[in-house]
Amino acid sequence: SILENSGIPLDAAQKTGSALLHRIRSGFSDNPFTVGANAELKAVQQDGFNSAALKTAGIDASKATPEVMGQGLDRINGVFKNILDKNEVALPDPIVHRIADIQTRALEEEKKPVANIADRIMKAVGPGDKIPGQIAYGIKKDLDRLADSADTTLAYHARQLRSAMMDAINGSLSAED
């Protein structure tokens, strides 16, 4: 099965889908004499699931601790930065219109940090309606920080602007990147 191929051990009830085996397993989990073994299997399965999920992000670990997740985020950001270092980001008209609309709404709601970043995007546009990838990466990182703001309206506008930038970035990359 997909789960077993991903390193997640399954019991007989999970492998077969048998209703009878599921009831028996449920009885074992409620029985004080067998609950320990059942809990051990659940812990092993959880570690296997965590490991499989983390591997999709290139992380080799069985627990998603803050340290592990921080290392994974650093790795992903490094890959993202390397890709943008060698690419420019095109801003087609629909993206420019989205950015302008977000900027207008942010100004109306007095969320200047987002409006200022939208202005920064437009000032960075060079020949061919493109932004150097390094600048686009810096803008994305600034929007990431604003998107985590406790000010929910500011965070909303930051996420909207980040979405527009990510659409521009994704539309500018080759299939390989």
Side-chain angles (χ1 to χ4, degrees):
S1 80
I2 293 172
L3 293 175
E4 288 176 303
N5 291 340
S6 296
I8 302 168
L10 302 177
D11 62 26
Q14 292 166 325
K15 286 180 185 179
T16 64
S18 163
L20 175 63
L21 290 177
H22 278 286
R23 284 193 298 277
I24 292 170
R25 183 187 64 204
S26 179
F28 282 143
S29 29
D30 293 338
N31 184 323
F33 299 107
T34 57
V35 73
N38 204 21
E40 285 177 30
L41 176 61
K42 283 184 180 182
V44 170
Q45 286 180 329
Q46 186 63 57
D47 285 349
F49 179 81
N50 290 345
S51 181
L54 291 168
K55 279 181 185 168
T56 65
I59 302 168
D60 186 21
S62 62
K63 302 225 182 294
T65 65
E67 181 180 282
V68 166
M69 296 306 290
Q71 291 169 357
L73 184 59
D74 289 347
R75 189 185 89 49
I76 290 168
N77 278 328
V79 170
F80 199 80
K81 182 181 182 312
N82 289 340
I83 289 171
L84 286 177
D85 279 348
K86 63 182 182 175
N87 287 285
E88 290 185 310
V89 176
L91 289 179
D93 285 341
I95 298 287
V96 170
H97 293 299
R98 278 175 62 194
I99 292 169
D101 288 344
I102 294 163
Q103 183 179 33
T104 299
R105 286 193 311 271
L107 284 171
E108 288 170 355
E109 297 185 19
E110 299 180 6
K111 302 305 173 191
K112 283 190 160 238
V114 173
N116 290 343
I117 292 177
D119 191 50
R120 200 168 112 210
I121 292 167
M122 300 318 295
K123 286 180 178 173
V125 176
D129 295 330
K130 294 184 178 183
I131 296 175
Q134 301 89 343
I135 292 173
Y137 177 75
I139 289 168
K140 182 227 178 271
K141 292 296 291 175
D142 290 343
L143 288 168
D144 286 345
R145 283 187 284 282
L146 290 177
D148 288 335
S149 172
D151 178 338
T152 57
T153 305
L154 177 70
Y156 169 78
H157 290 301
R159 286 190 303 271
Q160 295 299 306
L161 188 54
R162 181 178 60 189
S163 174
M165 276 301 296
M166 290 305 297
D167 287 347
I169 289 168
N170 289 332
S172 300
L173 300 178
S174 68
E176 179 183 294
D177 285 336

